[in-house]
Amino acid sequence: MQTNYFILMHHELIIAITIMLLLVIKVGSDKLSNQLVANVTNGLLLASLVLGFIVQPEGNVFGDMFHTDGFALLQKNILVAGTLIISLQASTWLKDYEHTAEFYILLLSTLLGMCFMISSRHFLMFYLSLELSTIPLAALANFDLHLKRSSEAALKLIISSAFSSGLMLLGISFLYGTTGTLSFGEVASAIQLNTPLQLFAFVLIFAGFGFKISAVPFHLWTADVYEGSPVAVTSYLSVISKGAVLFVFITVLFNVFALYAHSWYYLIVIVSLFTMVIGNLFALRQTNIKRFLAFSSISQVGFILIGLSGGTHTSAASVVYFIVVYIFSNLGAFGVIALVQGLTGKENINDYKGFYLNNKMLSWMLGIALFSLAGIPPVAGFFGKFFLLLSGAEKGAYWLIAIAAINMVISLYYYLNVVKNIFIDKSDTSIEKLPIAIQPRIAMIICVIGVVGSGLCGGLYQYIFDLVK
Amino acid sequence: MSATYILFWFLSALAVVSALMVLFSKNPVHSVLWLIAVFFAISGHYILMNAQFLAIVNIIVYAGAIMVLFLFVIMLMNLNKETEPRKNIWMKLAGAIAAGSLLMILVSLVGQATELSHRNLLMKDGDIGLIKNLGKILFSQYVVPFEITSILFLSAMVGAVVIGKKD
């Protein structure tokens, strides 16, 4: 019997079944309760998450097309949990939205693509699942159907992702031409040092990845896309989509291009320097809170790249740990923003003046999330950044760590500026007390527990570190 | 020089010249027509590699369906010299320098790539492109990518319907 296949692919199967179920429900009935669709999806996502922690198979099926182990399962669990939180947060917006079922179909398609991408050990499979995780996102970015800037965001997203796919495909075909295979393992053993064409292939593949994680020379449209998309999609783009690509990036860098480690070290250091500095400098001047978080997420990617430059098990573990922390803190911030935007339509930083006066809980939530993003000790963001810099320092580039520390200080200024707006500044037109529905409330509580807990509970990092091996 | 060699050089020259004409024609409709010529030349290359199925699909899908869509869009947009946005001279210069360096790197890299020469196109027995073998491999070794593609098309269709239906 081939039941093994079903157990190995249980994340993907549950998500695929959910997609088909939603499609059938949508086609079958005219008057669909949005609440029902959301509840079914959240329930199945939760089931997938629970199953992901209980059933932990390892194996390699369909050649190298699908490979799973404890590390891959952890990464999928992180992504599923993040998607679940976003889905809970979006319920305020989705309640009266006319295309809720389609929203979930597209969202889950991208999640499916990411799960397959994490499990792929073959460039063809990797490319296809990367496309599956970006093309539906472009449609999602357009889901504020009557806003012009939403269409603009979708167009910019699809153009930049098509361009980056083109670069990556060119790189992959050079790799195929020189090695004669597409499987990660065989490519890794067929790669030879001092072959310029393979080095060039790596640069092209790196550029493709750079677009997806919006590292600095490739970041140009990121802020426009984030500003134009609906808040739920923005948070998905900035957290889940980036996280998934970074997970695969770890595999590609550390396994496939392990032989070129001395070359990509410098590439990553330079890109991470530019990403941190430019992301920070642009974040300083933003007045729209979504654009602000877009640039803040760019500068966070710079820190992640420092962690990656270490090139050891420690750096893989520190990157995954940071992404867990980053998901909780960024989603905490986006949860509040989604609520405020959904109920009042305000999304400028100035609109948050005097926010603490009427919304005590939301203010604390946003405050803690921003503290974590800035990396201030009691919350998890500090430990995340600490481990990243520690693994970056393994190669002995202390000047790089010094520049990163200066950048952390700069970032402190703009994060605390928002906190000051919320807690200290007074305003005559401060936002009224907002009602919080049960789903966003649950999501917020999860985020707060995550932000505080993942920092205090030291076992988490050790758990990830053990899985990496 | 055998017939295959002559055909190969003829098709390559045709592809390069047509590709250049795509770029240099002033009229966008002419560009599209030259692009169809490029696709035909590439299909010829596929046939030389004994990949008949790929050649036919390339003609039907790309030269046929997609290019007709291109023509429609271009004719509907009514592009001409007046509607062309004027680009900054420095932008043009930067683009030319960047693309020129890329071309230089590509040419020099491929020129000195010793691992590419004497490769027999990685075609194994030369019958991999036949429809029977393609079908077999598509439903055994490559079945997961095949299924993923179908989900990709499904979600792309759902997205297109939602965006296209807005009132």
Side-chain angles (χ1 to χ4, degrees), chain A residues 20 23 62 65 99 102 105-106 109 112 116 122 124-125 128 131-132 135-136 139 142-143 145-146 151 174 176-180 195-197 200, chain B residues 102 105-106 109-110 112-116 119 122 140-146 148-149 151-156 158-160 162-163 165-167:
Chain A
M20 293 304 153
L23 203 65
F62 300 110
M65 298 291 171
H99 297 299
E102 288 92 333
I105 291 173
L106 294 178
S109 308
L112 183 71
F116 272 119
H122 194 279
L124 177 72
M125 185 71 191
L128 273 175
E131 287 298 295
L132 180 57
I135 290 177
N142 201 356
F143 260 45
L145 286 170
H146 302 289
S151 306
F174 277 137
Y176 183 64
T178 52
T179 61
T195 20
L197 204 54
F200 187 59
Chain B
L102 184 67
I105 290 174
L106 265 179
L109 283 183
V110 176
Q112 60 179 291
T114 47
E115 66 273 13
L116 279 183
R119 270 275 159 92
L122 304 168
S140 57
Q141 196 189 343
Y142 290 94
V143 66
V144 188
F146 181 71
I148 286 195
T149 321
I151 296 182
L152 176 59
F153 283 136
L154 177 75
S155 57
V158 171
V162 172
I163 294 171
K165 250 181 66 181
K166 67 179 155 190
D167 322 300

Side-chain angles (χ1 to χ4, degrees), chain A residues 51-66:
Chain A
L51 204 64
F53 278 108
I54 299 172
V55 187
Q56 300 232 322
E58 282 191 25
N60 211 344
V61 285
F62 300 110
D64 280 324
M65 298 291 171
F66 190 90

Side-chain angles (χ1 to χ4, degrees), chain A residues 167-180:
Chain A
L167 289 179
M168 200 182 267
L169 273 182
L170 187 59
I172 292 175
S173 37
F174 277 137
L175 212 55
Y176 183 64
T178 52
T179 61

Side-chain angles (χ1 to χ4, degrees), chain A residues 166-326:
Chain A
L167 289 179
M168 200 182 267
L169 273 182
L170 187 59
I172 292 175
S173 37
F174 277 137
L175 212 55
Y176 183 64
T178 52
T179 61
T181 173
L182 281 176
S183 147
F184 281 7
E186 289 170 25
V187 168
S189 54
I191 276 184
Q192 288 158 349
L193 270 183
N194 300 325
T195 20
L197 204 54
Q198 285 172 359
L199 196 60
F200 187 59
F202 170 70
V203 172
L204 288 173
I205 293 175
F206 180 83
F209 274 111
F211 272 101
K212 305 284 179 197
I213 60 177
S214 54
V216 149
F218 318 106
H219 69 293
L220 288 166
W221 279 345
T222 312
D224 295 340
V225 171
Y226 283 18
E227 190 189 358
S229 316
V231 185
V233 181
T234 307
S235 54
Y236 192 79
L237 272 171
S238 78
V239 182
I240 311 292
S241 155
K242 254 183 208 177
V245 175
L246 278 166
F247 290 149
V248 186
F249 197 32
I250 295 176
T251 317
V252 171
L253 273 185
F254 291 9
N255 297 345
V256 181
F257 288 101
L259 205 61
Y260 280 110
H262 66 286
S263 312
W264 58 246
Y265 173 71
Y266 293 105
L267 193 60
I268 285 197
V269 164
I270 292 167
V271 169
S272 80
L273 274 181
F274 277 109
T275 310
M276 278 187 307
V277 174
I278 292 181
N280 269 336
L281 292 184
F282 277 94
L284 283 175
R285 323 187 26 190
Q286 299 307 319
T287 52
N288 179 303
I289 196 147
K290 274 155 89 185
R291 275 185 94 84
F292 161 76
L293 280 174
F295 282 108
S296 115
S297 86
I298 290 176
S299 76
Q300 304 276 2
V301 165
F303 288 103
I304 294 177
L305 287 178
I306 288 186
L308 271 180
S309 72
T312 54
H313 289 310
T314 334
S315 41
S318 70
V319 169
V320 174
Y321 176 72
F322 184 78
I323 288 172
V324 174
V325 174
Y326 178 61

